[in-house]
């Protein structure tokens, strides 16, 4: 909903969701991604864009399209 004061709670919930989907490790990984990891990274991005507000989505689309890791950091 774009409320900055609730971001920490939202972030924790979303990271938990990514864990359930087995995507957390890719988002948290440092360094280069393998081919399979890159696909999971794109899946994490797809999950993210489903749950963020329109203002945040427009920023994420411009700055880190299809890159879940970059969008979350």
């Amino acid at each position: 909903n774009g409320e900055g004061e609730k971001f920490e709670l939202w972030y924790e919930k979303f990271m938990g969701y990514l864990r359930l989907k087995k995507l957390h490790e890719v988002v948290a990984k440092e360094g280069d991604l393998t081919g399979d990891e890159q696909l999971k990274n794109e899946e994490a991005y797809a999950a993210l864009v489903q749950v963020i507000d329109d203002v945040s989505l427009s920023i994420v689309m411009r700055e880190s399209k299809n890159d879940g890791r970059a969008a979350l950091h």
Side-chain angles (χ1 to χ4, degrees):
N1 66 6
E3 295 179 32
E5 62 274 1
K6 293 185 178 181
F7 176 76
E8 187 176 6
L9 296 173
W10 175 87
Y11 183 81
E12 193 65 28
K13 286 180 183 180
F14 188 70
M15 294 307 281
Y17 174 77
L18 290 181
R19 274 186 219 282
L20 291 173
K21 295 295 184 180
K22 309 286 191 242
L23 299 171
H24 175 268
E25 297 81 18
V26 169
V27 173
K29 181 179 179 179
E30 301 278 333
D32 295 335
L33 299 176
T34 66
D36 288 341
E37 289 172 332
Q38 184 57 41
L39 291 174
K40 286 186 175 188
N41 187 39
E42 291 172 10
E43 289 176 27
Y45 175 86
L48 173 66
V49 300
Q50 301 303 309
V51 298
I52 58 177
D53 63 277
D54 291 344
V55 173
S56 299
L57 176 58
S58 63
I59 294 168
V60 166
M61 285 172 38
R62 282 192 304 273
E63 295 183 6
S64 51
K65 188 160 183 99
N66 291 322
D67 188 347
R69 236 178 9 165
L72 287 164
H73 289 109

